[in-house]
Amino acid sequence: MAATPSPCDSSASASNKKWNNLRNILERDGPFCKTDFTPSPDILDFLQNTAKILVIGAGGLGCELLKDLAMMGFGDLHVIDMDTIELSNLNRQFLFRRCDIGSPKAECAARFINQRINTCSVTPYFAKIQDFDDLFYTQFHVIVCGLDSIVARRWINSMINSLVTYQEDGNVDPQSVIPLIDGGTEGFKGNVRVILPSLTACVECTLDLFPPQVTYPLCTIASKPRLPEHCVEYVKIIQWDKENPFSCALDGDDPQHISWVYEKALDRANKHNITGVTYRLVQGVVKNIIPAVASTNAAIAAACANEVFKMASNCYECMSNFMNFNDLNGIYTYTYAAEKNEECLVCSNAPQALNVGNPYTTTLDDVIHMLCESPKYQMKNPGITTIMYGKNKTLHMSSVGSIAERTRANLTMSLYQLGLRDGQQLMVSDATSPRTITMQLKYNLVDVEMN
């Protein structure tokens, strides 16, 4: 008489069958496999028990990414997000429920996945990416981003590039390369990129691919506001610097800052009989948030997860290296190889020359504006220091109130008056990078003499 299978046996059998499709990919060869791919059951074991994947962002893209990666067999996921859940998130961020409003996104997303998929463990971090050091990021095999901020993208891109080490012959140590998969959406458009630090084009190399941010004429927002956005921009650009409420630069991710801007913008709107100023609008204007579409998020997250799987398993060639997606009129997509910029601020080893015209007429404020407005740099609020007579000297740093006040006079002084010579190095810090960038002044005048 045949033995009746126990419930435990049935459960184990179902669990084994769950991964049959993955085994078909990982345990046998195929015409599209990489030439150095060796089929093995150990690969699935690696994905489930060893590989550590970091997901940055638990919003529209992040929820899709966590779901996709967990159902693809990854057993150790980590997620970072600094935001809390709002009512407007629920239409597309499907890991959240109404009862989660006000709770951290990372924690709620992790709890949902952990309860639903028993083969996966998600570790949440309710924090900023800037709160972690290089030791934290080196523990991951692949990092995948679902961010809505260009500044955050540039920061994590700079971080993983700074982790790259070089061998004695000058070549990149492949063990130090942590792949970065970056996804982004803008309405019905999206993109995916695969970044191998120091080997392929990074975020900074292709900075000009990001869409230009919407701006409003200063004369309009200052004297004749007509839209609720004009009121928010007035507070953001003029009133914040004038009143300096928190003695620091405006942080779009700080609820206190956003609340202050909201109250002031609402007052200005009421004075000009303008309606429509809401807390969410203020967030959108300050952080340049683009409305999201659930179907676009799903498609882009699926493409990102597919690249993470290929990176972690080494079964197929990864995308090379930038994909555009558009489902506004039908579905249209194409992939091309973005070129690495050999003079990139982040991923190149070349010294960075800062070309300046006449040092007698160019002021420090002119240099700061160039760093902020140039398509090559696009910095937000750079602080500049240098070495003079063997000592460190701060030329300007607006992010610290006391230093900003002490160095304010330097802004109107020419580079000659500041004693900055041709070839002198400037150390530039900015919110777009976790590390200080060293630049070398290069004057364009042939006969410049600095005493």
Side-chain angles (χ1 to χ4, degrees), residues 323-373:
M323 183 195 81
N324 265 323
F325 173 87
N326 189 331
D327 62 347
L328 183 60
N329 296 308
I331 297 178
Y332 173 71
T333 182
Y334 68 94
T335 304
Y336 72 96
E339 294 184 3
K340 189 175 185 296
N341 182 0
E342 298 303 329
E343 297 182 353
C344 176
L345 282 175
V346 172
C347 68
S348 71
N349 285 323
Q352 299 300 319
L354 186 61
N355 293 302
V356 177
N358 190 336
Y360 297 99
T361 58
T362 302
T363 66
L364 183 64
D365 194 43
D366 293 333
V367 172
I368 291 174
H369 275 86
M370 179 174 65
L371 293 173
C372 293
E373 297 171 6

Side-chain angles (χ1 to χ4, degrees), residues 412-428:
T412 57
M413 296 175 66
S414 70
L415 301 187
Y416 173 78
Q417 291 173 318
L418 291 169
L420 298 176
R421 298 171 174 81
D422 185 30
Q424 186 157 347
Q425 290 187 341
L426 301 180
M427 282 66 76
V428 182

Side-chain angles (χ1 to χ4, degrees), residues 126-193:
F126 178 42
K128 298 180 181 180
I129 56 175
Q130 294 88 347
D131 293 339
F132 302 95
D133 59 13
D134 52 355
L135 292 177
F136 173 80
Y137 290 106
T138 53
Q139 66 181 302
F140 300 103
H141 293 90
V142 183
I143 297 175
V144 55
C145 295
L147 292 163
D148 61 2
S149 166
I150 295 175
V151 172
R153 279 189 176 90
R154 294 175 68 185
W155 191 94
I156 191 64
N157 172 74
S158 183
M159 168 59 77
I160 64 165
N161 273 278
S162 70
L163 300 177
V164 175
T165 59
Y166 293 83
Q167 300 169 338
E168 292 182 359
D169 59 3
N171 292 322
V172 172
D173 179 3
Q175 298 297 322
S176 66
V177 174
I178 301 175
L180 175 67
I181 315 299
D182 177 52
T185 62
E186 180 184 338
F188 289 97
K189 301 176 183 178
N191 66 77
V192 176
R193 72 174 77 195

Side-chain angles (χ1 to χ4, degrees), residues 52-242:
K52 296 182 72 172
I53 310 299
L54 175 64
V55 177
I56 300 180
L61 269 177
C63 286
E64 292 280 356
L65 282 167
L66 287 170
K67 177 261 295 181
D68 290 347
L69 293 171
M71 298 185 71
M72 290 178 81
F74 290 97
D76 189 4
L77 302 178
H78 297 248
V79 58
I80 300 176
D81 197 292
M82 60 169 294
D83 288 337
T84 55
I85 299 165
E86 300 177 8
L87 178 63
S88 59
N89 300 148
L90 303 186
N91 71 326
R92 64 192 181 280
Q93 298 174 24
F94 57 90
L95 299 184
F96 310 136
R97 301 293 181 265
R98 184 176 289 269
C99 61
D100 295 325
I101 293 175
S103 300
K105 288 184 178 180
E107 295 176 3
C108 291
R111 183 170 60 249
F112 190 100
I113 296 292
N114 290 336
Q115 292 174 349
R116 195 70 173 262
I117 304 176
N118 58 13
T119 57
C120 180
S121 173
V122 183
T123 303
Y125 304 92
F126 178 42
K128 298 180 181 180
I129 56 175
Q130 294 88 347
D131 293 339
F132 302 95
D133 59 13
D134 52 355
L135 292 177
F136 173 80
Y137 290 106
T138 53
Q139 66 181 302
F140 300 103
H141 293 90
V142 183
I143 297 175
V144 55
C145 295
L147 292 163
D148 61 2
S149 166
I150 295 175
V151 172
R153 279 189 176 90
R154 294 175 68 185
W155 191 94
I156 191 64
N157 172 74
S158 183
M159 168 59 77
I160 64 165
N161 273 278
S162 70
L163 300 177
V164 175
T165 59
Y166 293 83
Q167 300 169 338
E168 292 182 359
D169 59 3
N171 292 322
V172 172
D173 179 3
Q175 298 297 322
S176 66
V177 174
I178 301 175
L180 175 67
I181 315 299
D182 177 52
T185 62
E186 180 184 338
F188 289 97
K189 301 176 183 178
N191 66 77
V192 176
R193 72 174 77 195
V194 176
I195 298 170
L196 299 177
S198 295
L199 298 176
T200 64
C202 73
V203 171
E204 208 76 17
C205 289
T206 57
L207 202 55
D208 57 341
L209 292 179
F210 289 107
Q213 297 179 353
V214 177
T215 58
Y216 303 99
L218 187 60
C219 57
T220 299
I221 64 175
S223 58
K224 297 179 181 179
R226 299 185 300 274
L227 302 173
E229 290 85 355
H230 293 165
C231 300
V232 180
E233 284 286 340
Y234 177 84
V235 178
K236 172 186 171 183
I237 296 174
I238 299 175
Q239 204 163 348
W240 180 275
D241 288 338
K242 184 178 180 180

Side-chain angles (χ1 to χ4, degrees), residues 24-60:
N24 289 336
I25 296 173
L26 301 175
E27 297 180 13
R28 63 185 186 185
D29 209 345
F32 300 108
C33 291
K34 293 180 67 175
T35 55
D36 60 347
F37 173 67
T38 303
S40 171
D42 294 337
I43 302 176
L44 180 57
D45 179 71
F46 170 78
L47 298 183
Q48 293 179 326
N49 301 307
T50 305
K52 296 182 72 172
I53 310 299
L54 175 64
V55 177
I56 300 180

